[in-house]
Amino acid sequence: MKVCVVGSGGREHALATVLGRHHDVVVTPGNPGIPGSVDTPATAIEADLYVIGPEAPLVAGLADELRAAGRLVFGPGADGARLEGSKAWMKQVLVDAGVPTARHGTFTTADPAYAFLDTLDGLYVVKTDGLAAGKGVVVTTDLAEARAAVDEYLSGAAFGDAGRTLVIEEGLTGPELSVLAVCDGTRAVALAPAQDFKRVGDGDAGPNTGGMGAYSPVPVAGDDVVAMVMEEGVAPTLSALRDLGIDYRGVLYAGLMLTPSGPKMLEYNVRFGDPETQVVLPRLTSDLGELLAAAAAGAIDRAPTFDDGAAVTVVCAAEGYPRDVRTGDVIDGLDAARGVDGVSVFCAGVGADAEGRLVTAGGRVLAVTGQGPDLAAARGRAYEAVGHISWPGLHHRNDIASAAVAAAGADPGGNR
Ligand code: AMP
Ligand code: GLY
């Protein structure tokens, strides 16, 4: 098959790499670090299958446009993508489908929002309704900070129209889990679970980011937990969507918190996670193109398979990320990093300078994935490779998967 991947980040590089094991792949627009990148819009490319990476073109209806032209597309239409485009609507779908989630309210004015904050138990979560590049969420124990977020969001100062409606939730606690479900409108199959690290600094310090690293498998989320998420979360959601006339063919990314009272759905994304994709897909042992084409055609007939090993991804970010980012720094050491056994380096915010050298061009620049027989080995390889890479201001977390490795050490064999 010829597969066209839409997007330009590390997720798309990973999709292209894993699809490329069995198929011809072009990436639009891609970036100078992704082989097969072309500067042609997807609508002008002839391919057997289109895989849309980011949420923005999905929310804007690119999948609908391609389907209207008779193409086979993996990715929901604008109707389903609204799950990510509007958190208020997503919460309503969750409640209607009976999926366990945080208690919440939706607000467009400050006084009722303050009043709802006063009913919460000391951990406050304020979210923009609309898309905010993973940054429109404040989680805090400080009521004044939560109220300030309400003011900033509603005024449009922080995120424009995306914040003029907001969702306030009770704060939940526990390990987080990402389950990416591949859906064909009726059926869904789970990819291997992953855990993402959202905060910029070690020990979960600092502001939220798009994701600073990930690992898979997740020792606290065995097959039973994933099965429960599929049965009690994804399946009722797909069926609620069908009741609304939405034929959802794409990834339903379930972002969960494993709370003391069971898994609760924090959010859905309507696409592959970034950097979860860079840690989950390299472990796939079946044909990704075949799976996504079957989903796009409404005809999934088998579950994907994964290796028994582990993978750890460490994101290398540019100076300033997640705030104002400096770009244009030459990236050194890529070849040496790629020379480490079991390592793949995926290019995200990467450009090229006048001499054709790869330079930083965004906040999250590279995702460095190490694979090995267990999390400790995978982690060691990822960080060994990261050690070869440099540019001025590069920063990364040092503790990706470290707690899981320590727990596995304390409980040998507990790392499945
Ligand atoms: P979201 O964009 O909804 O995924 O939120 C981003 C991050 O904020 C999540 O990955 C969590 O780390 C955190 N978060 C979101 N909702 C809650 C909640 N109800 N309780 C605690 N943390 C949350
Ligand atoms: N890793 C979080 C996301 O893709 O939204």
Side-chain angles (χ1 to χ4, degrees):
M1 267 194 308
K2 179 173 174 188
V3 185
C4 173
V5 174
V6 179
S8 63
R11 162 185 51 211
E12 287 75 27
H13 194 177
L15 280 164
T17 302
V18 176
L19 286 163
R21 292 175 185 167
H22 301 275
H23 306 281
D24 295 330
V25 182
V26 293
V27 186
T28 173
N31 72 53
I34 306 180
S37 293
V38 295
D39 196 12
T40 313
T43 46
I45 293 173
E46 285 296 333
D48 303 297
L49 173 68
Y50 298 77
V51 178
I52 302 174
E55 61 276 18
L58 292 165
V59 171
L62 178 60
D64 303 298
E65 190 183 341
L66 289 164
R67 283 192 182 106
R71 319 285 179 85
L72 188 64
V73 184
F74 184 77
D79 54 0
R82 195 168 163 224
L83 279 178
E84 186 162 353
S86 169
K87 284 188 161 50
W89 186 69
M90 169 192 67
K91 292 290 290 196
Q92 194 54 49
V93 172
L94 285 174
V95 170
D96 291 349
V99 178
T101 184
R103 186 165 70 85
H104 80 288
T106 296
F107 305 95
T108 52
T109 55
D111 285 340
Y114 297 156
F116 188 78
L117 283 172
D118 288 336
T119 70
L120 298 179
D121 223 9
L123 187 59
Y124 310 98
V125 182
V126 184
K127 303 180 174 182
T128 60
D129 175 55
L131 294 180
K135 293 174 198 157
V137 178
V138 168
V139 181
T140 180
T141 53
D142 179 351
L143 182 57
E145 193 186 334
R147 282 170 158 254
V150 167
D151 296 338
E152 255 186 51
Y153 288 5
L154 287 179
S155 73
F159 295 103
D161 287 345
R164 289 189 205 274
T165 297
L166 51 84
V167 172
I168 300 180
E169 291 184 0
E170 63 175 334
L172 303 174
T173 53
E176 284 188 53
L177 183 69
S178 302
V179 176
L180 309 184
V182 173
C183 305
D184 75 354
T186 315
R187 283 157 296 236
V189 290
L191 303 182
Q195 189 165 90
D196 177 21
F197 292 72
K198 291 259 168 46
R199 302 272 179 165
V200 73
D202 288 351
D204 290 335
N208 262 324
T209 69
M212 292 298 291
Y215 65 88
S216 173
V218 182
V220 295
D223 292 348
D224 51 336
V225 173
V226 174
M228 187 200 257
V229 169
M230 295 301 285
E231 277 160 34
E232 293 177 18
V234 171
T237 301
L238 256 192
S239 130
L241 291 173
R242 258 198 329 276
D243 291 345
L244 294 168
I246 298 173
D247 184 12
Y248 193 99
R249 301 183 186 192
V251 170
L252 195 52
Y253 161 146
L256 298 127
M257 199 164 261
L258 304 178
T259 77
S261 54
K264 293 207 175 158
M265 201 67 77
L266 290 183
E267 61 157 354
Y268 281 123
N269 295 316
V270 299
R271 48 167 178 82
F272 286 98
D274 187 345
E276 287 92 334
T277 305
Q278 293 91 310
V279 85
V280 167
L281 290 188
R283 296 188 51 221
L284 189 71
T285 48
S286 51
D287 180 340
L288 179 63
E290 195 174 88
L291 174 68
L292 302 188
I300 294 179
D301 61 358
R302 71 192 78 169
T305 54
F306 291 86
D307 68 25
D308 288 335
V312 173
T313 290
V314 180
V315 169
C316 296
E319 184 168 305
Y321 182 74
R323 300 208 168 92
D324 290 336
V325 168
R326 193 181 72 211
T327 58
D329 291 308
V330 174
I331 300 169
D332 277 323
L334 262 180
D335 289 342
R338 287 187 166 131
V340 177
D341 208 24
V343 164
S344 311
V345 181
F346 300 113
C347 292
V350 171
D353 68 7
E355 288 144 66
R357 294 176 300 185
L358 295 183
V359 298
T360 61
R364 293 189 294 171
V365 179
L366 303 174
V368 179
T369 298
Q371 289 180 263
D374 56 27
L375 282 172
R379 180 174 192 278
R381 287 170 169 178
Y383 276 108
E384 183 189 340
V386 166
H388 288 295
I389 295 170
S390 63
W391 63 79
L394 183 164
H395 63 101
H396 60 79
R397 282 184 64 155
N398 297 290
D399 61 348
I400 305 300
S402 59
V405 167
D411 171 22
N415 173 24
R416 289 283 177 263

